[in-house]
Amino acid sequence: MADRRLQVFQAVARHLSFTKAGETLYMTQPAVTFQIKQLEEHFNTRLFERGGGRISLTPAGDLVLDYAERILGLTKELDVRVAEMTGQMSGSLLVGASTTIAEFMLPPILGEFNVRYPQVRARLTVANSEAISNAIAAHTLDIGLIESNTHHASLQCEICGDDELQVVCTPSHPLSKRSEIDARSLLGYDYIAREAGSGTREVTDDYFRACGVDPEKLRMLMELSSPESLKGVVATGLGYSIVSRASFEKERQLGTLVAVPLRPRLKRTLSLVYPKERFRSRVVLTFVDFARNKLRELSA
């Protein structure tokens, strides 16, 4: 129902790229350019500065973007409100999840939610906790499930469970013989770490500091952005890692990896993150309640 020109303008302004905006909207670049040209003619001013292969918003473009965000947001809210009045539980659900939650906890949650509400179209974005928080703050996602607290003042963070992190290594690794291990004892072994910006990395770095160990002093062999690739490297015997207990249950059952608890135990929070003081549809509110209960069951 909203002016198509505003939708195209918003996409270009977000990506600062006509090509990427076209890909997002399934439009050709000439069609995107035409819509922007029409909007600039309507306002009789340039909305983008073009030069050097890059574009940026003009002051007028910044103003139009502010109003476009509000107009498009109200249009979406109107659609949802009318649907709710007619008793429908339908619409889109844009969920973001940090890697570990997305790979090992969220699939059964989304599956059961879909069985209950088949008219809801869920779309999942997987990234590290920092990237998910940024996307929610930018209103490109409705809700996020992350493994750490968010630092965005505009976001509400609700703790709904916890997850223990443990040392994992091969059965032949020297650490596998321990019943538990303290942080300082890990300084003598090669470490396979998650990438900076991930919830796991943030929590483990904070844990080491709290135990009086500078993370920079660890013998970090490599950094990996995927729990699966991380476990694959650890399984070769190159070193140990610290990962979510939920992420290596299969390997533990197969006997390819061994888990060693840390002393003191390392537990992190699982959190639901969503914008403060922003309209939330019944679909989003229902999913928040559903996911909250399921995560609490998983961490019980």
Side-chain angles (χ1 to χ4, degrees), residues 106-123:
L106 195 54
I109 295 176
L110 285 175
E112 188 173 338
F113 190 79
N114 180 254
V115 170
R116 291 194 184 188
Y117 307 106
Q119 299 304 313
V120 176
R121 299 183 307 279
R123 183 184 303 168

Side-chain angles (χ1 to χ4, degrees), residues 6 9-11 13-14 62-76 138-140 278:
L6 289 181
F9 170 77
Q10 181 191 46
R14 281 180 176 175
D62 282 322
L63 179 65
V64 173
L65 178 60
D66 179 53
Y67 276 89
E69 296 276 7
R70 284 187 274 171
I71 291 168
L72 294 171
L74 285 171
T75 300
K76 180 181 178 182
H139 303 310
T140 57
R278 183 171 180 246

Side-chain angles (χ1 to χ4, degrees), residues 43-60:
F43 290 117
N44 195 30
T45 187
R46 297 181 69 86
L47 302 177
F48 293 99
E49 295 288 358
R50 303 162 175 83
R54 296 181 178 182
I55 64 171
S56 60
L57 286 166
T58 64

Side-chain angles (χ1 to χ4, degrees), residues 10 14 69-70 73 76 94 132-143 154-155 274-279:
Q10 181 191 46
R14 281 180 176 175
E69 296 276 7
R70 284 187 274 171
K76 180 181 178 182
L94 305 179
I132 293 300
S133 294
N134 290 338
I136 297 169
H139 303 310
T140 57
L141 291 174
D142 294 320
I143 182 173
S154 63
L155 300 183
Y274 43 86
K276 292 179 180 176
E277 300 177 0
R278 183 171 180 246
F279 166 77

Side-chain angles (χ1 to χ4, degrees), residues 2-295:
D3 191 321
R4 182 62 170 171
R5 294 173 299 178
L6 289 181
Q7 294 174 332
V8 174
F9 170 77
Q10 181 191 46
V12 175
R14 281 180 176 175
H15 295 286
L16 292 179
S17 166
F18 286 79
T19 301
K20 289 182 179 178
E23 292 172 355
T24 301
L25 299 171
Y26 302 101
M27 297 173 61
T28 64
Q29 184 173 335
V32 171
T33 302
F34 176 74
Q35 294 286 345
I36 297 300
K37 183 179 179 182
Q38 279 201 325
L39 198 60
E40 289 181 327
E41 290 176 352
H42 173 79
F43 290 117
N44 195 30
T45 187
R46 297 181 69 86
L47 302 177
F48 293 99
E49 295 288 358
R50 303 162 175 83
R54 296 181 178 182
I55 64 171
S56 60
L57 286 166
T58 64
D62 282 322
L63 179 65
V64 173
L65 178 60
D66 179 53
Y67 276 89
E69 296 276 7
R70 284 187 274 171
I71 291 168
L72 294 171
L74 285 171
T75 300
K76 180 181 178 182
E77 181 177 338
L78 174 60
D79 291 340
V80 171
R81 289 294 196 196
V82 172
E84 290 180 351
M85 286 184 68
T86 61
Q88 300 176 36
M89 176 65 85
S90 62
S92 63
L93 177 66
L94 305 179
V95 181
S98 51
T99 313
T100 300
I101 292 178
E103 292 185 3
F104 304 103
M105 300 178 187
L106 195 54
I109 295 176
L110 285 175
E112 188 173 338
F113 190 79
N114 180 254
V115 170
R116 291 194 184 188
Y117 307 106
Q119 299 304 313
V120 176
R121 299 183 307 279
R123 183 184 303 168
L124 175 63
T125 297
V126 182
N128 64 39
S129 295
E130 182 179 15
I132 293 300
S133 294
N134 290 338
I136 297 169
H139 303 310
T140 57
L141 291 174
D142 294 320
I143 182 173
L145 295 91
I146 63 174
E147 302 143 5
S148 62
N149 289 322
T150 181
H151 305 296
H152 284 275
S154 63
L155 300 183
Q156 180 73 37
C157 187
E158 177 185 341
I159 296 173
C160 55
D162 58 44
D163 176 37
E164 184 175 359
L165 279 74
Q166 297 179 337
V167 172
V168 292
C169 58
T170 59
S172 60
H173 194 281
L175 291 176
S176 68
K177 312 306 177 188
R178 306 282 192 95
S179 60
E180 58 181 11
I181 189 167
D182 62 276
R184 192 165 294 279
S185 298
L186 293 172
L187 287 167
Y189 302 94
D190 290 331
Y191 177 37
I192 316 298
R194 280 293 302 275
E195 84 285 8
S198 73
T200 299
R201 178 63 176 274
E202 181 179 349
V203 169
T204 52
D205 281 359
D206 288 345
Y207 176 82
F208 280 118
R209 294 187 190 99
C211 293
V213 175
D214 183 354
E216 297 296 325
K217 303 295 184 183
L218 296 168
R219 287 167 47 176
M220 191 179 298
L221 198 63
M222 63 181 73
E223 299 174 278
L224 299 169
S225 61
S226 162
E228 290 295 340
S229 60
L230 186 148
K231 289 185 297 180
V233 171
V234 171
T236 67
L238 283 178
Y240 74 92
S241 188
I242 300 175
V243 300
S244 163
R245 184 176 59 184
S247 71
F248 63 90
E249 186 61 33
K250 177 181 70 176
E251 289 78 11
R252 179 162 43 193
Q253 291 179 1
L254 292 173
T256 56
L257 292 179
V258 174
V260 183
L262 285 158
R263 187 180 71 243
R265 295 298 179 96
L266 171 54
K267 291 189 176 184
R268 63 179 171 188
T269 59
L270 302 176
S271 301
L272 287 165
V273 182
Y274 43 86
K276 292 179 180 176
E277 300 177 0
R278 183 171 180 246
F279 166 77
R280 286 187 287 276
S281 69
R282 187 157 62 98
V283 170
V284 172
L285 291 173
T286 302
F287 182 76
V288 167
D289 187 59
F290 183 83
R292 179 196 299 122
N293 293 333
K294 288 298 178 182
L295 286 173

